[in-house]
Amino acid sequence: MQKPRFAIVLLLLAGIHLILESSFVKAAAPRKPDSRIVNGREAAEGEFPYQLSLRRQTVHICGASILASNWAITAAHCIDGHERQPREFTLRQGSIMRSTGGSVQPVKAIHKHPAYDRADMNFDVALLKTADRALSSPLGKVAPIRLPAVGEAILDSVPAVVSGWGHMSTSNPVLSPVLKSTTVLTVNQEKCHNDLRHHGGVTEAMFCAAARNTDACQGDSGGPISAQGTLIGIVSWGVGCADPYYPGVYTRLAHPTIRRWIRLLTKL
Ligand code: 4AZ
């Protein structure tokens, strides 16, 4: 089983990263569009105003997105086991730099989806509550992203933009110091289920997206994938990164069980 490994890798990464963050950043190769993250491009300041870096004990562990000035959304696997310790977590907003700029806001409460299953990553979503108006900025670099309607379908082969500070490739497991994004195409649900059949397939609370030589990767987890200004999903899991045989898997936010749970807690 590949899936639980990602969560473990992420925790290990956080530990190693705590020690090596500065040296990793220094060791990164000089800027080359093709050698960072799994391809994609560097973001411009203000291009992803809803993007957050979720930090545990000051170290980037995952992405997250702003839903309102006091609510963020991430993956359940990013906070699993720590939902009673919100004070370990902070959110950096308003900066394309992973470790500098913008402002860092404390998380006040963590709500893990009640149906989250770490064995198969089903319902991989969590809500993070902050102080009122914490997730906003007068500089205009911070803004919420809209959610899909309940049950809103995702068509096949639709372009969607995913962003984060995650690994540049499976063989170059280094976080990006600068926010990156890439465009992937949504994958037909049955095709994805079949592609991932040896890894448990996908549920209705997941969808897949892929493109040649580009993908989300470890460290992008919990972050946004959007289409036409709507947050359609959250980076959840995959088998390697940018592997031509395995599409990336995302939490489907329009799934009624997820969307209604978000509304219940946030009124959004
Ligand atoms: C992860 O564990 C992860 N290739 C995220 C996305 C993908 C793989 C792994 C997609 O954070």
Side-chain angles (χ1 to χ4, degrees), residues 6 10 77 215-221 235-242 248-249:
F6 291 125
L10 204 72
H77 82 255
D215 198 2
C217 202
Q218 276 83 13
D220 293 319
S221 270
V235 180
S236 180
W237 63 277
V239 181
C241 304
V249 187

Side-chain angles (χ1 to χ4, degrees), residues 83-103:
E83 52 272 32
R84 301 285 165 79
Q85 289 92 42
R87 275 150 200 86
E88 294 181 1
F89 296 89
T90 54
L91 294 161
R92 184 184 301 278
Q93 64 173 344
S95 178
I96 57 171
M97 302 310 294
R98 187 181 81 248
S99 302
T100 59
S103 75

